[in-house]
């Protein structure tokens, strides 16, 4: 039996601000407007520097995860969506393992969402305190107690803004969710920048453009040996190249192709004879949720490891979790658990250290499948939940009685969730090995989120009767 602790948290949840549900149907053009306003507020917060910080020029401990966590160093969006996703991950695991009980009623779901929001704010405070205490913005003794407290308050307010923006969209005022919107924006911005960046970098062989496409024309124009210049544009090291860009496009097309895989279960109306329809169960049944939760899990392990490594360097236990090295403004794992949870950088790394690649593949596939399977039980998308939704709509599965629907749905939904999560993990690994821009996880998130928005647009268009009625 799990603990019914959610009821004890209800008084505390009432102190958190909440976005009320819309009292009328929100038109599509209004949803687009609210989505644009939400994105604008997020992008502005990404550019507002934290007041009072002394320095953020040291190696960034979260360089590899900032794109996925929609964070920007030294700004109000320092924490990004990490606290919200982390709270969702922990609450999901607690509910999935029956440590806490979550009923099927509307009240229980509301309590669960409120507790998740409360936990997200607590994580925001904890992460903000740790960031300040560990000296990410300067030594606390140099900053002073007042400035340290001010930085924590800024991060807490920014975390609350992200939470409310996400809730605004999810309550029906906008399209999709804030988390998905922020992630996709961050990843697409990174891809476009690394493809067309006009910034120049001295590589030792001369000045080169950072953007892969601009570098192609620059190398062809400046190199006397055109074949060598073309080869360099495709395979240059330490900077985005055309092979990375082609891998990104290739992964994009593969994921779009897999989005079409589904099983249509025939259903019929219990009220009207002869009215038939189908209930689709997609291969990616839980969409990109497994990879988001897996990213949150890895980011928190990295976070803990780097804090321990900076304070207790040389400790055997700390080294088992992870050892780190610096390169410019980046920190990357070179040993311990964190090293084996990080993707191999190139094909040559896979050949020289195959154990690293094997452990990484097993971890990605296993964690995504497990998180996807667990998610359906707490998100209202399990076989029992789907059967109840169909009964509420007075729909039945053709050839099955009402009582046998759950059994029949259980043949498909858990399998689709687990295998879909496995495929998500496999595609992420493939993208990492091919060297896709923005990491395999990032590309996968961007594609699935963009496809979700495409589906929302198609659904709204079909409901409104045409594209002209959507905006006018």
């Amino acid at each position: 039996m799990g603990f019914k602790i959610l009821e004890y948290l209800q008084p505390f949840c009432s102190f958190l601000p909440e976005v009320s549900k819309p009292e009328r149907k929100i038109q599509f053009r209004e949803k687009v407007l609210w989505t644009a306003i939400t994105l604008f507020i997020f992008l502005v917060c990404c550019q507002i520097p934290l007041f009072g910080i002394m320095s953020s020029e040291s190696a960034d401990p979260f360089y590899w995860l900032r794109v996925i966590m929609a964070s920007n160093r030294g700004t109000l969006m320092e924490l990004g969506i990490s606290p919200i996703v982390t709270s969702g991950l922990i609450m999901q695991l607690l509910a999935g393992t029956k440590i806490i009980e979550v009923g099927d009623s509307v009240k229980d779901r509301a309590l669960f969402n409120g507790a998740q929001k409360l936990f997200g704010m607590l994580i925001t405070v904890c992460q903000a305190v740790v960031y300040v205490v560990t000296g990410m913005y300067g030594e606390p003794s140099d900053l002073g107690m007042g400035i340290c407290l001010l930085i924590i308050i800024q991060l807490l307010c920014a975390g609350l803004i992200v939470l409310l923006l996400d809730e605004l969209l999810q309550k029906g005022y906008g399209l999709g969710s804030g988390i998905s919107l922020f992630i996709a924006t961050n990843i697409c911005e990174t891809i476009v920048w690394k493809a067309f960046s006009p910034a120049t970098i001295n590589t030792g062989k001369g000045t080169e453009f950072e953007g892969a496409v601009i570098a192609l024309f620059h190398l062809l124009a400046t190199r006397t040996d055109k074949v060598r210049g073309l080869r360099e544009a495709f395979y240059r090291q330490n900077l985005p190249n055309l092979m990375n860009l082609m891998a990104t496009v290739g992964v994009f097309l593969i994921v779009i192709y897999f989005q079409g895989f589904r099983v249509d279960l025939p259903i019929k109306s219990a009220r009207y004879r002869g009215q038939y329809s189908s209930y689709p169960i997609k291969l990616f049944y839980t969409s990109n949720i497994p990879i988001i939760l897996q990213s949150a899990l890895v980011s928190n392990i990295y976070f803990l490891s780097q804090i321990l490594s900076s304070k207790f360097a040389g400790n055997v236990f700390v080294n088992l979790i992870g050892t780190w090295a610096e390169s410019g403004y980046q920190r990357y794992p070179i040993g311990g658990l964190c090293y084996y949870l990080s993707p191999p950088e190139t094909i040559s790394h896979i050949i020289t250290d195959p154990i690293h690649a094997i452990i990484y593949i097993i971890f990605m596939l296993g964690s995504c499948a497990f998180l996807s399977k667990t998610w359906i039980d707490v998100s209202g998308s399990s076989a029992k939940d789907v059967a109840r939704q169909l009964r509420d709509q007075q729909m039945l599965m053709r050839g099955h009685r009402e009582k046998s629907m759950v059994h029949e749905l259980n043949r498909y939904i858990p399998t689709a969730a687990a295998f879909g999560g496995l495929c998500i993990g496999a595609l992420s690994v493939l993208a990492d090995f091919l060297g896709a821009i923005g990491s395999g996880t990032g590309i996968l998130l961007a594609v699935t989120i963009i496809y979700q928005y495409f589906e929302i647009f198609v659904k709204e268009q079909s409901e409104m009767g045409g594209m002209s009625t959507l905006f006018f």
Side-chain angles (χ1 to χ4, degrees), residues 295-469:
S295 300
L297 176 64
V298 172
S299 69
N300 282 282
I301 294 174
Y302 280 15
F303 180 58
L304 175 64
S305 173
Q306 291 186 69
I307 291 172
L308 293 175
S309 181
S310 62
K311 296 296 181 183
F312 307 102
N315 184 282
V316 175
F317 175 73
V318 172
N319 288 343
L320 285 175
I321 299 177
T323 54
W324 299 79
E326 294 187 8
S327 175
Y329 294 126
Q330 305 173 20
R331 294 189 74 186
Y332 57 93
I334 57 173
L337 176 65
C338 291
Y339 170 70
Y340 289 102
L341 298 186
S342 63
E345 294 181 11
T346 60
I347 299 295
S348 62
H349 289 173
I350 299 174
I351 297 172
T352 55
D353 192 357
I355 295 176
H356 176 200
I358 292 170
I359 293 176
Y360 174 70
I361 292 172
I362 293 173
F363 169 72
M364 284 294 297
L365 301 187
S367 60
C368 287
F370 170 76
L371 291 170
S372 180
K373 182 76 162 50
T374 309
W375 178 255
I376 61 174
D377 295 322
V378 296
S379 63
S381 54
S382 65
K384 183 171 64 175
D385 296 312
V386 171
R388 187 180 66 251
Q389 292 166 13
L390 291 175
R391 281 196 297 268
D392 292 342
Q393 298 170 11
Q394 296 189 338
M395 301 296 289
L396 296 172
M397 291 185 64
R398 288 158 60 183
H400 296 275
R401 296 180 182 273
E402 185 175 337
K403 293 182 179 179
S404 65
M405 278 202 303
V406 175
H407 175 73
E408 183 65 17
L409 288 168
N410 264 323
R411 292 178 54 196
Y412 296 96
I413 290 178
T415 304
F419 187 67
L422 194 75
C423 291
I424 287 281
L427 288 170
S428 178
V429 170
L430 175 66
D432 279 324
F433 287 176
L434 291 176
I437 295 174
S439 81
T441 300
I443 294 299
L444 209 64
L445 286 172
V447 177
T448 52
I449 291 168
I450 292 170
Y451 192 82
Q452 283 176 4
Y453 275 97
F454 171 74
E455 288 183 322
I456 291 172
F457 182 80
V458 171
K459 181 181 177 182
E460 293 281 350
Q461 183 182 359
S462 63
E463 290 179 355
M464 296 297 292
M467 188 174 295
S468 60
T469 57

Side-chain angles (χ1 to χ4, degrees), residues 5-24:
I5 63 171
L6 296 182
E7 295 179 3
Y8 298 103
L9 296 176
Q10 187 174 11
F12 300 100
C13 295
S14 60
F15 289 103
L16 292 175
E18 183 181 2
V19 178
S20 59
K21 289 185 177 180
E23 298 178 355
R24 60 178 178 83

Side-chain angles (χ1 to χ4, degrees), residues 229-266:
L230 189 63
R231 188 184 298 115
E232 194 172 341
F234 270 87
Y235 301 107
R236 64 178 182 165
Q237 300 295 317
N238 302 320
L239 284 174
N241 57 53
L242 289 180
M243 286 302 295
N244 299 143
L245 195 59
M246 291 172 63
T248 304
V249 175
V251 172
F252 189 98
L253 296 175
I254 291 171
V255 176
I256 293 294
Y257 175 73
F258 272 95
Q259 290 279 3
F261 281 55
R262 68 181 190 180
V263 174
D264 290 315
L265 300 181

Side-chain angles (χ1 to χ4, degrees), residues 38-57:
T38 299
L39 183 58
F40 176 76
I41 294 172
F42 170 75
L43 292 174
V44 169
C45 289
C46 281
Q47 301 302 320
I48 299 176
L50 288 166
F51 178 79
I53 60 175
M54 291 183 63
S55 173
S56 59
E57 296 299 317

